[in-house]
């Protein structure tokens, strides 16, 4: 008997609503078992698939540890949990919703700071003046470290953010931030600006799968059906 594949779907919020709608449009409606808010389900058209509902962040981790075969999550969360080359996970399909950018932002009053190179200069001067490293608040420490290393910025330390990251500079807990933004309005409301070369990732919701399952016919069917929905919508 062939083992069933486990598909992880978002358990709440706008990502859940958009993902369930897209799957339903593709003839792959998710049926929740038990109570309406149950965290297990199935897809009538795919009897070889079990559905589990997790938070988007948990889905990225579950793909990493292999407890699910494929899942719908934000690309930002996937790239944070699974750096390129560390675990064989592939983006099967970009889904066209859940758009957001992971960005580096600094106070608007830093008039001479427009690029990552400028931020590096500020970090060096900050350390010379205060004897400590410039603090960067974020919920994306792995993405931050990779981007700052790529841009040659070294004089900083990460402060992992548990709350509203954009409020960290005003609260004095960090000098700069790496955060996710859609329209930029929240950053502007907190008197922050995105650096000219500070867009780390243009993220959206993705269907991702572990590489060992990419050749499975169910994965191909899901991709083809969802792609067909996108084609109809753009026609």
């Amino acid at each position: 008997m062939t083992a069933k594949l486990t598909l992880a779907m978002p358990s709440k919020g706008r990502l859940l609503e958009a993902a369930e709608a897209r799957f339903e449009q593709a003839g792959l409606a998710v049926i929740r078992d038990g109570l309406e808010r149950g965290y297990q389900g199935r897809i009538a058209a795919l009897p070889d698939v079990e559905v589990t509902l997790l938070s988007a962040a948990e889905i990225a981790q579950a793909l990493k540890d292999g407890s699910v075969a494929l899942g719908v999550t934000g690309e930002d969360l996937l790239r944070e949990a699974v750096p390129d080359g560390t675990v064989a996970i592939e983006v099967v399909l970009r889904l066209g919703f859940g758009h957001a950018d992971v960005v580096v932002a600094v106070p608007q009053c830093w008039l001479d700071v427009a690029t990552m190179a400028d931020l590096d200069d500020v970090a060096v001067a900050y350390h010379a003046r205060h004897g400590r490293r410039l603090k960067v608040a974020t919920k994306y420490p792995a993405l931050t470290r990779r981007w700052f290393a790529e841009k040659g910025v070294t004089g900083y330390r990460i402060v992992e953010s548990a709350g509203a990251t954009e409020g960290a500079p005003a609260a004095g807990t960090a000098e700069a931030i790496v955060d996710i933004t859609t329209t930029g309005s929240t950053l502007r409301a907190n008197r922050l600006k995105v650096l000219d070369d500070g867009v780390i990732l243009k993220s959206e919701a993705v269907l991702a799968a572990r590489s060992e399952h990419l050749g499975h016919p169910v994965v191909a069917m899901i991709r083809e059906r969802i792609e067909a929905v996108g084609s109809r919508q753009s026609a």
Side-chain angles (χ1 to χ4, degrees), residues 90-173:
E90 300 287 341
V91 171
V92 176
L93 195 61
R94 286 180 166 81
L95 298 173
F97 56 83
H99 292 281
D101 296 341
V102 181
V103 301
V104 184
V106 300
Q108 292 174 353
C109 61
W110 290 13
L111 300 179
D112 295 332
V113 181
T115 67
M116 293 294 294
D118 295 334
L119 183 61
D120 187 45
D121 291 341
V122 168
V124 171
Y126 188 90
H127 187 272
R129 184 178 301 115
H130 300 286
R132 58 183 175 85
R133 291 176 180 266
L134 182 137
K135 298 186 294 296
V136 179
T138 188
K139 295 183 178 74
Y140 297 93
L143 281 171
T144 300
R145 290 189 185 98
R146 293 198 296 273
W147 185 255
F148 278 49
E150 181 180 325
K151 296 296 183 179
V153 180
T154 58
Y156 73 98
R157 70 180 179 91
I158 287 176
V159 178
E160 293 206 34
S161 173
T165 304
E166 64 274 4
T173 56

Side-chain angles (χ1 to χ4, degrees), residues 35 80 144 183 194 224 231:
L35 299 174
E80 173 66 22
T144 300
T183 65
V194 178
E224 289 167 5
S231 298

Side-chain angles (χ1 to χ4, degrees), residues 35-71:
L35 299 174
E36 182 181 348
R37 294 183 180 275
Y39 288 92
Q40 297 295 324
R42 56 193 170 85
I43 296 174
L46 299 175
D48 293 331
V49 171
E50 293 177 338
V51 176
T52 185
L53 290 103
L54 304 168
S55 73
E58 289 172 330
I59 291 172
Q61 288 294 331
L63 283 163
K64 180 181 181 179
D65 65 30
S67 58
V68 303
L70 65 164

Side-chain angles (χ1 to χ4, degrees), residues 32 39 83 86 104 117 127 164 212 220 234:
R32 298 199 187 197
Y39 288 92
T86 59
V104 184
H127 187 272
E212 63 264 31
S234 60

Side-chain angles (χ1 to χ4, degrees), residues 206-223:
V206 297
L207 175 67
R210 291 183 62 88
S211 294
E212 63 264 31
H213 300 295
L214 286 175
H216 198 289
V218 165
V219 176
M221 178 189 293
I222 293 173
R223 181 180 62 243

